[in-house]
Amino acid sequence: MNNSRKFYIVVGHYGCGKSNFSVNLALDLASKGRKTMLMDLDLVNPYFLSSGCKDVLEKAGIKVISPLYANSNVDIPALPADMNLAFERDDYDVVMDVGGDDAGSVVLGRFHEQISKVDYEMLYVINRYRNLTMTPEDTVEILREIETASRAKACGLVNNSHLKQETVYETVADSLGYAAEVSKQSGLPIFATTVPRYLEKDDRVKQMENDNSECNFYPIDIYVKAPWE
């Protein structure tokens, strides 16, 4: 096994923005000249799929593995036939975008043996503004359900608190205390706090970053959208 490669498993509550974060993470890895593979394992929600950005990803040289009927009108959950490539090819960095909550994470449990042999980082994406994750207690409860279903342990948090296109400076700033409390209760460090790219140069965001270095600000673009957006 190539110990220098990155293997990220991205999980979270429905609608937290984990698929969009997964796309940004894969693109960032590829931009550094790393061979990158994005695996879309979301068999639960057909509307917010990272593989829906396949053209953007493949243009960046990223190998995309998606559910058999992704982006079609066939609503049949089916694992990608070449999923095992993530475990067989140690020359690729891997980003796994997993379905929401414990229901979506069950697929990881099916591959527990293979995953247990990989030096992975499972990132739990949180969003203060989503139903059922508005309090740190509820957010940690869902994390534990995901860990049980996936038979894997999270190692970091991604504070992706946003209100889609209505996200402003205050949206991010007001989420920092929430993320810090989730970190405290879960025992997990904050891997990143996402900031929409259009806010990256806002002087207030820069000051917020200086005042909260432990938040690890991470600029993202919006790629994953619902068909009606």
Side-chain angles (χ1 to χ4, degrees):
M1 182 67 66
N2 182 357
N3 292 325
S4 66
R5 78 159 172 167
K6 303 291 186 181
F7 197 110
Y8 294 108
I9 300 174
V10 183
V11 299
H13 178 49
Y14 296 116
C16 65
K18 61 181 177 49
S19 291
N20 192 70
F21 174 74
S22 296
V23 171
N24 277 271
L25 182 58
L27 288 169
D28 284 348
L29 290 169
S31 71
K32 297 173 183 176
R34 304 181 68 94
K35 292 179 65 175
T36 305
M37 177 188 305
L38 184 141
M39 300 193 66
D40 182 352
L41 298 184
D42 192 342
L43 305 182
V44 179
N45 190 337
Y47 296 113
F48 298 93
L49 297 176
S50 52
S51 57
C53 306
K54 189 173 183 178
D55 290 346
V56 173
L57 293 163
E58 291 186 339
K59 185 177 180 180
I62 297 170
K63 182 174 181 59
V64 179
I65 297 177
S66 57
L68 296 180
Y69 302 107
N71 305 305
S72 73
N73 59 1
V74 180
D75 188 17
I76 301 176
L79 287 171
D82 48 359
M83 177 177 175
N84 283 325
L85 284 177
F87 308 107
E88 296 169 354
R89 296 288 303 272
D90 65 359
D91 55 333
Y92 274 90
D93 285 352
V94 175
V95 177
M96 281 188 168
D97 175 21
V98 182
D101 290 5
D102 54 333
S105 298
V106 168
V107 64
L108 290 181
R110 294 178 57 182
F111 292 90
H112 172 69
E113 184 176 348
Q114 294 99 314
I115 291 174
S116 65
K117 297 176 182 178
V118 174
D119 185 17
Y120 68 85
E121 293 184 62
M122 190 161 89
L123 303 176
Y124 180 46
V125 180
I126 62 176
N127 184 347
R128 178 190 175 188
Y129 305 106
R130 289 296 298 169
N131 186 31
L132 299 184
T133 61
M134 291 182 175
T135 69
E137 292 76 15
D138 288 342
T139 305
V140 173
E141 181 179 351
I142 289 176
L143 166 64
R144 301 310 179 204
E145 292 172 353
I146 289 174
E147 289 181 325
T148 298
S150 65
R151 300 171 67 186
K153 288 292 184 181
C155 65
L157 304 173
V158 176
N159 177 19
N160 190 48
S161 297
H162 66 92
L163 294 170
K164 295 188 176 182
Q165 292 86 351
E166 297 180 11
T167 301
V168 294
Y169 161 78
E170 289 79 8
T171 310
V172 180
D174 291 347
S175 74
L176 299 185
Y178 155 84
E181 185 59 28
V182 174
S183 176
K184 178 180 178 181
Q185 291 189 24
S186 66
L188 299 177
I190 298 175
F191 176 85
T193 295
T194 64
V195 178
R197 187 82 62 183
Y198 58 80
L199 291 177
E200 183 181 10
K201 296 182 179 180
D202 188 313
D203 289 339
R204 295 173 299 171
V205 171
K206 293 179 180 179
Q207 185 61 50
M208 182 168 58
E209 183 173 14
N210 291 334
D211 294 341
N212 300 274
S213 58
E214 72 280 2
C215 293
N216 303 318
F217 284 85
Y218 189 100
I220 61 170
D221 293 300
I222 308 302
Y223 295 103
V224 179
K225 299 179 181 179
W228 55 84
E229 292 184 303

